[in-house]
Amino acid sequence: MKIALLGYGRMGQAIESIAIERGHEIILKIDKNIESYSLEEIGIDVAIDFSIPDAAFKNITSCFKAGIPVVSGTTGWLDKYDEAVEMCNDNDAAFIYASNFSLGVNIFFELNKKLAGMMKNLEEYGVEIEEIHHTKKLDAPSGTAISLAEQIIDVNERKKGWHLETANDNEIPVFAKRIEDVPGTHTVSYTSRIDDIEIMHTAHSREGFAKGAVVAAEWLKDKKGVHTMKDVLSSLFE
């Protein structure tokens, strides 16, 4: 499979290593203006976008216009997500966006949804989320933390939204910490006067994120439409 890397920072380099290890070819690395490339002429099977918020939408939609499937893990641009989905469908392209491509985190998402459903009627428990990342992460809270919060809000009628650090009773507080060289830790905590319940995912390196993105790209090749990591996981665990 011939892969284009949109963004060549530390995640892009980790993806390159995993992709080559799995027998793929990195045919293009873009770390500047994507519009200077004739994407249709390069022979790209799938593009993987781990760029920056300001570049992500342009990267993704340029690939759609060229008929190239895109896997994107860039966060901080989702105000334009619906527009990207529309452009994907209009160009008969293929797209997977995930706030986190780690297979372990996506299993964690399923555990979070299950626990949220079990806790939704237990009013004596408060809920909060904490995320810790390296100091070079630009957005806060992380896309993964936002996804965790939204999953809880979807099933808990008492929670109407989330807020960074300070929150009203009908909101989930999300705490973001930045510590040198931490790949990513997420904790969902339910606390009461009697006891606490926590679930946690701790990444030990970027390898898990990179491998998940490459696995998603392998799955997306030759497909059409908008998909999720749940679709990818279903194919792995069926």
Side-chain angles (χ1 to χ4, degrees), residues 8 14 35 81 87 89 108 130 134 138 189-190 220 238:
Y8 195 61
E35 294 179 320
Y81 176 79
M87 291 187 69
N89 291 327
F108 186 63
E130 180 186 80
H134 53 86
L138 299 179
S189 302
Y190 291 86
L220 190 63
E238 62 186 11

Side-chain angles (χ1 to χ4, degrees), residues 131-174:
E131 60 95 343
I132 307 172
H133 282 88
H134 53 86
T135 53
K136 289 184 169 59
K137 184 167 179 60
L138 299 179
D139 55 316
S142 67
T144 301
I146 293 171
S147 295
L148 290 165
E150 290 176 343
Q151 288 177 337
I152 297 169
I153 293 163
D154 284 345
V155 300
N156 190 327
E157 294 181 354
R158 292 179 288 113
K159 299 300 179 184
K160 305 301 181 183
W162 61 268
H163 201 275
L164 187 62
E165 296 191 358
T166 58
N168 297 321
D169 288 343
N170 65 348
E171 296 175 322
I172 300 170
V174 180

